[in-house]
Amino acid sequence: MKVTVWNENRHEQKNPVVADIYPEGIHGAIASFLRAEGLEVGTATLDEENHGLTDEVLDQTDVLVWWGHLAHDEVADEVVEKVHKRVLQGMGLIILHSGHFSKIFKKLMGTSCDLKWREADDRERLWVVDPSHPIAEGIGQYIELQKEEMYGEHFDIPAPDELVFVSWFEGGEVFRSGCTYRRGNGRIFYFRPGHETYPTYHNKEVQQVISNAVNYVSPVNRDYPTYGNHKPIEKISEK
Amino acid sequence: MKVTVWNENRHEQKNPVVADIYPEGIHGAIASFLRAEGLEVGTATLDEENHGLTDEVLDQTDVLVWWGHLAHDEVADEVVEKVHKRVLQGMGLIILHSGHFSKIFKKLMGTSCDLKWREADDRERLWVVDPSHPIAEGIGQYIELQKEEMYGEHFDIPAPDELVFVSWFEGGEVFRSGCTYRRGNGRIFYFRPGHETYPTYHNKEVQQVISNAVNYVSPVNRDYPTYGNHKPIEKISEK
Amino acid sequence: MKVTVWNENRHEQKNPVVADIYPEGIHGAIASFLRAEGLEVGTATLDEENHGLTDEVLDQTDVLVWWGHLAHDEVADEVVEKVHKRVLQGMGLIILHSGHFSKIFKKLMGTSCDLKWREADDRERLWVVDPSHPIAEGIGQYIELQKEEMYGEHFDIPAPDELVFVSWFEGGEVFRSGCTYRRGNGRIFYFRPGHETYPTYHNKEVQQVISNAVNYVSPVNRDYPTYGNHKPIEKISEK
Amino acid sequence: MKVTVWNENRHEQKNPVVADIYPEGIHGAIASFLRAEGLEVGTATLDEENHGLTDEVLDQTDVLVWWGHLAHDEVADEVVEKVHKRVLQGMGLIILHSGHFSKIFKKLMGTSCDLKWREADDRERLWVVDPSHPIAEGIGQYIELQKEEMYGEHFDIPAPDELVFVSWFEGGEVFRSGCTYRRGNGRIFYFRPGHETYPTYHNKEVQQVISNAVNYVSPVNRDYPTYGNHKPIEKISEK
């Protein structure tokens, strides 16, 4: 299995706080713990040619992890189209945190993907609401993060196919924090935490969830469905 | 449309705090605001014969509202069987608060329906997570209750067919507070708030949700499906 | 409640078979039976200015019914954007038959919306798989159409929020024929039947389903959620 | 992983046609192809003591496969309670064909689980409606069975959490043939085919689906949620 971790990688260049937390970039941190699970992991960033997502890279990617925030509009529409096509073909997609406003997530959801937010060091608890779900494997009753950006409902997404986590924030909000979707031959997981000024991707439980999700959304090995004109069944007597 | 409000009606007899909040009983309070909506509403309680749920009452009931807590075990299995049958035939069912542990709810869900709880005057916010849902008509972004019993996840229910409300509690928990289910020809709504020592059913927004829900789960007018041996389609040429 | 029936209205101009079945156009036929239900119904067609969907028309439309086939690409992107925005604001949307490939449906679904098809006078049965659903009110166990175009799985849509009908075709295929979705504040119903060369929209049960669906997807009366920066809860002690 | 295949094993004793198709019993046939996948597989049958489902067997079973038909009523309620408890604890459960009427399936579903049926050598096609699902891995667009018992809608089950297969029957019916459910910590798969007088469990694609399903419903490794009285979050300042 081949994983590609895509990151906007702009905060890391501009903000020493972020650079200090993630010296190899958010993509580097995520790639590192996924490699420690034995996965083959590449990275790609916005300012590379084609944002690092050439046809060759995409064709070989089984699961794409996506982090973006400041520069969603700078992602080329052609690249978004290619990623969209690959998801419908079966590539897994994990959208992290502020990626809720990425072109690719909005295109796959069909909604505004808007939400409430607050940068105020809120304490967060991500409660497991589906204990039978493989994405929650190894996780206790909740994941507690001492400080995070708040995201609050209403989160303008389609009702998730499966709801795995619901967040509590000390400031008074809740949020559907771990959501799976199926689109075409592909599976998608949205996972809320990961504001750039907190060391969230160094948290072992957050890492566990992302590793679990990579496995969960990995492609299923089968032929694609065919579409278009279809012949009627032959009568048994005609065979 | 005929609504029957069923109440255990034991706390009201034993606890002056409850009797003071609900002098006509919880059933009386709920019946009162539903009648004000122009609905035809009857009541039934545990200590009546057949718990007030005779065949005649059940056959004429379009929507049954259920509140119970202390004495779930005293509800006769035969009555539970009849209510279950009526739901599968199309009668709407609204389960309130501690009714999560009623025999009828557990029978319809197939799970333990267990949860976390705390009686500590927690502040609660019920956030609307599905703004398109008729049960949320007339409700703002959330309903705030200054003091309520806390119910927390994991709530051991099947994933709801529709999730309308998610509660936040100041003590650190979240809860899937407004859940719809379809079972047979019938529809069910579970609604969390309503601990007996708080005046929750006097809250106008809580009343609005229950009124909306009565409409939402009301029976659909159609013939029941048939079951059993079924003849094959005749060939057009044979008609 | 104000309904607008939108129709491409091209087959009716080109093909005498279609013109003969629908002398007032498919839109005219649909508007006619909806008006007979007491609804206020307008129509709009592709070749009108703005395709008949001006801001004024859209702002006053509670439910939009959509039929298109040959000329999906001729629908202006700006109009699609406006319809999309109105659905997220709460306008109901009913997509009929070949509208599965319309720009607006694909944008709301996020998938290719592709399918199998055959024009061969297949007999179709639309089985009710959710007898509790208001869209099936008044419908028997299935709707039988003696001749229709076949649509077959895999239908590349997100898993429906609610699946109401599944079609059987004599040539060997099945199809998820009646599907609801919630997007933002709006509700959507996709309904399969209605190939232009068959008198499907003159069928009383098909008419009943569309009438039921107009009611089902009609807007809920409430304030929109707010998005963006959100203040924390004030402590009770601070109030 | 430890799989237990439970079979009523009565048709095999009474009907030479069945004994001829399944000389080792239906349980033997299923156990055989699962063992060929490298799984550790035991069997249990109705007429063994405790129906072969002792506490020891159940405690060690990760996935239970269930086939029953004639003698659902002979399954002891205590055994059903134990299996139910184990599913809520996380044991996977695969219910085959006429197991739709088993006590355990009805208890987990909360509905009648009734359906239409016909024994008339109907040709069946099980269409894959979710190509992204691991249970469909390795399966083409549909599985075709030349002769099977027909099961038709309405199938009185809760809406499945995931719908993987929909069957077409030549006699005019459709059926939701592959359905997943989550209950407590456990996952369930219902799979339609397998009437005892046809060699359905010798079909390679049917075997593939059952193998895939065993993996899909296998338990997730995590602590159970706790229930009951729950302490409030400590203030950060108090820690």
Side-chain angles (χ1 to χ4, degrees):
Chain A
M1 182 152 57
K2 175 79 191 316
V3 181
T4 300
V5 180
W6 189 91
N7 181 19
E8 191 179 278
N9 195 30
R10 288 277 176 86
H11 289 289
E12 293 91 331
Q13 312 310 316
K14 293 177 172 187
N15 185 341
V17 173
V18 180
D20 196 49
I21 298 170
Y22 297 115
E24 314 295 326
I26 286 174
H27 54 293
I30 293 171
S32 174
F33 68 74
L34 291 176
R35 283 185 192 121
E37 299 283 325
L39 295 164
E40 185 186 345
V41 186
T43 64
T45 56
L46 181 64
D47 293 323
E48 293 174 59
E49 198 167 356
N50 293 308
H51 315 320
L53 297 173
T54 59
D55 289 353
E56 195 184 348
V57 166
L58 281 174
D59 287 350
Q60 293 176 6
T61 297
D62 293 305
V63 177
L64 179 63
V65 180
W66 191 278
W67 197 101
H69 182 213
L70 294 174
H72 294 311
D73 286 349
E74 295 182 41
V75 178
D77 289 343
E78 310 87 78
V79 173
V80 175
E81 287 298 321
K82 285 178 183 177
V83 173
H84 185 251
K85 189 180 159 199
R86 282 286 298 141
V87 171
L88 297 188
Q89 283 175 341
M91 182 181 74
L93 180 65
I94 297 173
I95 299 285
L96 296 173
H97 189 63
S98 43
H100 74 91
F101 257 168
S102 62
K103 288 181 179 177
I104 182 62
F105 190 59
K106 291 196 289 185
K107 187 174 177 70
L108 283 160
M109 296 295 104
T111 55
S112 74
C113 300
D114 213 340
L115 46 74
K116 292 186 179 64
W117 57 270
R118 179 175 58 243
E119 297 187 32
D121 291 351
D122 272 79
R123 195 165 171 182
E124 176 179 13
R125 274 185 178 177
L126 295 107
W127 286 92
V128 175
V129 299
D130 183 352
S132 74
H133 205 286
I135 287 179
E137 187 151 276
I139 303 300
Q141 306 214 46
Y142 55 83
I143 299 171
E144 184 153 324
L145 301 171
Q146 292 300 324
K147 294 181 183 180
E148 251 290 355
E149 184 181 5
M150 183 282 291
Y151 276 9
E153 296 282 345
H154 173 245
F155 184 18
D156 186 22
I157 47 171
D161 291 342
E162 299 165 313
L163 180 62
V164 186
F165 296 101
V166 172
S167 281
W168 172 94
F169 291 95
E170 65 177 316
E173 296 84 3
V174 298
F175 195 75
R176 289 169 291 170
S177 276
C179 301
T180 77
Y181 294 95
R182 297 171 178 274
R183 292 291 181 270
N185 300 275
R187 284 179 284 169
I188 301 162
F189 181 59
Y190 174 80
F191 190 45
R192 197 213 77 81
H195 188 61
E196 66 276 2
T197 60
Y198 303 111
T200 298
Y201 297 120
H202 297 309
N203 178 293
K204 292 295 176 197
E205 288 177 300
V206 168
Q207 293 178 358
Q208 179 75 58
V209 168
I210 296 172
S211 294
N212 290 345
V214 164
N215 283 305
Y216 189 73
V217 302
S218 66
V220 165
N221 182 24
R222 58 190 301 274
D223 294 336
Y224 299 140
T226 62
Y227 300 102
N229 205 333
H230 193 245
K231 287 187 190 174
I233 202 167
E234 67 273 44
K235 300 284 188 314
I236 301 279
S237 57
E238 295 168 359
K239 293 185 91 176
Chain B
M1 181 153 57
K2 177 81 190 318
V3 181
T4 300
V5 180
W6 190 90
N7 182 21
E8 191 179 277
N9 195 30
R10 290 275 178 86
H11 289 289
E12 293 91 331
Q13 312 311 314
K14 295 176 172 187
N15 185 342
V17 174
V18 180
D20 196 48
I21 298 171
Y22 297 114
E24 313 296 326
I26 286 175
H27 54 293
I30 293 172
S32 174
F33 69 73
L34 291 176
R35 283 184 192 121
E37 299 282 325
L39 295 163
E40 186 186 346
V41 185
T43 63
T45 55
L46 180 63
D47 292 324
E48 293 174 59
E49 197 167 357
N50 294 306
H51 316 319
L53 298 173
T54 60
D55 289 353
E56 195 185 349
V57 166
L58 280 174
D59 287 349
Q60 292 175 9
T61 297
D62 293 306
V63 176
L64 179 65
V65 180
W66 191 279
W67 197 101
H69 182 213
L70 293 175
H72 295 311
D73 286 348
E74 295 182 41
V75 178
D77 289 342
E78 311 86 80
V79 173
V80 175
E81 287 298 322
K82 285 179 183 178
V83 173
H84 185 251
K85 189 180 159 201
R86 281 287 296 140
V87 171
L88 297 188
Q89 282 175 342
M91 183 181 73
L93 180 66
I94 297 174
I95 299 285
L96 296 173
H97 189 64
S98 42
H100 73 91
F101 257 168
S102 62
K103 288 181 180 177
I104 183 61
F105 191 59
K106 290 196 288 185
K107 185 174 178 70
L108 284 160
M109 296 295 104
T111 55
S112 75
C113 301
D114 213 340
L115 46 73
K116 292 186 179 64
W117 57 269
R118 178 174 59 242
E119 296 187 33
D121 292 351
D122 272 79
R123 195 167 172 181
E124 175 179 14
R125 275 185 176 175
L126 296 107
W127 286 92
V128 175
V129 300
D130 183 352
S132 75
H133 205 287
I135 287 180
E137 186 150 275
I139 303 300
Q141 306 214 47
Y142 54 83
I143 299 170
E144 184 153 325
L145 301 171
Q146 292 300 323
K147 294 181 184 182
E148 252 289 356
E149 183 181 6
M150 182 283 291
Y151 276 9
E153 296 282 347
H154 174 243
F155 184 18
D156 186 22
I157 48 171
D161 290 342
E162 299 165 312
L163 180 62
V164 187
F165 296 101
V166 172
S167 282
W168 171 95
F169 291 94
E170 64 177 316
E173 296 84 4
V174 298
F175 195 74
R176 288 169 292 170
S177 275
C179 302
T180 76
Y181 294 94
R182 296 169 180 276
R183 292 290 181 272
N185 300 275
R187 284 179 285 168
I188 302 161
F189 181 58
Y190 174 81
F191 191 46
R192 196 212 78 81
H195 188 62
E196 66 276 3
T197 60
Y198 304 111
T200 298
Y201 298 120
H202 297 310
N203 178 292
K204 292 295 175 198
E205 288 178 299
V206 168
Q207 293 179 359
Q208 179 74 57
V209 169
I210 296 172
S211 295
N212 291 344
V214 165
N215 283 305
Y216 189 73
V217 303
S218 66
V220 165
N221 183 23
R222 58 191 300 274
D223 295 335
Y224 299 141
T226 62
Y227 299 101
N229 206 333
H230 193 246
K231 287 188 190 174
I233 202 168
E234 66 274 43
K235 299 284 189 313
I236 301 280
S237 57
E238 295 167 359
K239 294 186 92 175
Chain C
M1 181 152 57
K2 176 80 192 315
V3 181
T4 300
V5 180
W6 190 90
N7 181 20
E8 190 179 279
N9 195 29
R10 290 276 176 85
H11 289 290
E12 292 90 332
Q13 311 311 316
K14 293 177 172 185
N15 184 341
V17 173
V18 180
D20 196 48
I21 298 171
Y22 296 115
E24 313 296 326
I26 286 174
H27 54 294
I30 293 171
S32 174
F33 69 74
L34 291 177
R35 282 185 193 121
E37 299 283 326
L39 296 164
E40 186 187 344
V41 185
T43 63
T45 54
L46 180 64
D47 293 323
E48 293 174 59
E49 198 168 356
N50 293 307
H51 315 320
L53 298 173
T54 60
D55 289 353
E56 196 185 347
V57 167
L58 281 173
D59 287 349
Q60 293 175 8
T61 297
D62 292 306
V63 177
L64 179 64
V65 180
W66 192 278
W67 197 101
H69 182 212
L70 292 174
H72 294 310
D73 286 348
E74 295 181 41
V75 178
D77 289 343
E78 310 87 79
V79 172
V80 175
E81 287 297 323
K82 285 178 184 178
V83 173
H84 185 251
K85 189 180 159 199
R86 282 286 298 140
V87 171
L88 297 188
Q89 283 175 342
M91 182 181 74
L93 180 65
I94 298 173
I95 299 285
L96 297 172
H97 189 62
S98 43
H100 73 91
F101 257 168
S102 62
K103 287 181 180 177
I104 183 61
F105 190 59
K106 291 196 289 185
K107 185 174 178 70
L108 284 159
M109 296 295 104
T111 55
S112 75
C113 300
D114 213 341
L115 47 73
K116 292 186 178 65
W117 56 269
R118 177 175 60 243
E119 296 187 33
D121 292 351
D122 272 79
R123 194 166 173 181
E124 176 179 12
R125 273 185 177 177
L126 295 107
W127 286 91
V128 175
V129 299
D130 183 352
S132 75
H133 205 286
I135 288 180
E137 187 150 275
I139 302 300
Q141 307 214 47
Y142 54 83
I143 300 170
E144 184 153 325
L145 301 171
Q146 292 300 323
K147 294 181 184 180
E148 251 290 355
E149 183 181 6
M150 182 283 289
Y151 276 9
E153 297 282 346
H154 174 244
F155 184 18
D156 186 23
I157 47 172
D161 291 341
E162 300 166 311
L163 180 62
V164 186
F165 295 101
V166 171
S167 282
W168 172 94
F169 291 95
E170 65 178 315
E173 296 84 4
V174 298
F175 194 74
R176 288 168 292 171
S177 275
C179 301
T180 77
Y181 294 94
R182 297 170 179 274
R183 293 290 181 271
N185 300 275
R187 284 179 285 169
I188 302 161
F189 182 58
Y190 174 80
F191 191 45
R192 197 213 76 81
H195 189 62
E196 67 275 3
T197 60
Y198 304 110
T200 298
Y201 297 119
H202 296 311
N203 178 294
K204 292 296 176 196
E205 288 177 299
V206 168
Q207 293 178 358
Q208 179 75 58
V209 169
I210 296 172
S211 296
N212 290 344
V214 165
N215 284 304
Y216 189 73
V217 302
S218 67
V220 165
N221 182 24
R222 59 190 300 275
D223 295 336
Y224 299 142
T226 62
Y227 299 101
N229 206 332
H230 193 247
K231 286 187 191 174
I233 202 167
E234 65 273 45
K235 300 283 188 313
I236 300 279
S237 57
E238 296 167 359
K239 292 186 93 175
Chain D
M1 183 153 57
K2 175 82 191 315
V3 181
T4 301
V5 181
W6 189 90
N7 182 21
E8 190 179 278
N9 195 30
R10 290 275 177 85
H11 289 288
E12 292 91 330
Q13 312 310 315
K14 294 176 170 188
N15 185 341
V17 173
V18 180
D20 196 49
I21 299 171
Y22 297 115
E24 314 295 327
I26 287 175
H27 53 294
I30 292 172
S32 173
F33 68 74
L34 290 177
R35 283 183 192 123
E37 298 284 325
L39 295 164
E40 186 186 345
V41 186
T43 63
T45 56
L46 180 64
D47 293 324
E48 294 174 58
E49 197 168 357
N50 294 305
H51 315 318
L53 297 173
T54 60
D55 289 353
E56 194 186 349
V57 166
L58 281 174
D59 287 349
Q60 292 176 9
T61 297
D62 293 305
V63 177
L64 179 65
V65 180
W66 191 279
W67 197 101
H69 182 213
L70 293 176
H72 294 310
D73 286 349
E74 295 181 41
V75 177
D77 289 342
E78 310 88 81
V79 172
V80 175
E81 287 298 322
K82 284 179 185 178
V83 173
H84 185 250
K85 190 180 159 200
R86 281 286 298 139
V87 171
L88 298 188
Q89 283 175 340
M91 182 181 74
L93 180 66
I94 297 173
I95 299 286
L96 296 173
H97 190 62
S98 42
H100 74 91
F101 257 168
S102 62
K103 288 181 180 177
I104 182 62
F105 190 59
K106 290 195 290 185
K107 186 173 178 70
L108 284 159
M109 296 295 104
T111 55
S112 76
C113 301
D114 212 340
L115 47 74
K116 292 186 178 65
W117 56 269
R118 179 174 56 243
E119 297 187 32
D121 293 351
D122 272 79
R123 194 165 172 183
E124 176 179 13
R125 274 185 178 177
L126 295 107
W127 286 92
V128 175
V129 299
D130 183 352
S132 75
H133 206 287
I135 288 180
E137 186 151 275
I139 303 300
Q141 307 213 46
Y142 54 83
I143 299 170
E144 184 154 326
L145 302 171
Q146 291 301 322
K147 294 180 183 181
E148 251 289 355
E149 183 180 5
M150 182 282 290
Y151 276 8
E153 297 280 347
H154 174 244
F155 184 18
D156 187 22
I157 47 171
D161 291 341
E162 300 166 312
L163 180 62
V164 186
F165 295 100
V166 172
S167 282
W168 173 95
F169 291 95
E170 65 177 316
E173 296 84 3
V174 298
F175 195 75
R176 288 169 291 170
S177 276
C179 302
T180 77
Y181 293 94
R182 296 169 180 275
R183 292 290 182 269
N185 301 275
R187 284 179 285 169
I188 303 161
F189 181 59
Y190 174 80
F191 191 45
R192 197 212 77 81
H195 189 61
E196 67 275 3
T197 60
Y198 304 110
T200 298
Y201 297 120
H202 296 310
N203 178 293
K204 293 295 175 196
E205 288 177 300
V206 168
Q207 293 178 357
Q208 178 75 57
V209 168
I210 296 171
S211 295
N212 291 344
V214 164
N215 283 305
Y216 189 73
V217 303
S218 66
V220 164
N221 183 23
R222 58 190 300 275
D223 294 337
Y224 299 141
T226 62
Y227 300 101
N229 205 333
H230 194 245
K231 288 188 190 174
I233 201 167
E234 67 273 45
K235 300 285 188 312
I236 300 279
S237 57
E238 296 168 359
K239 293 186 91 174

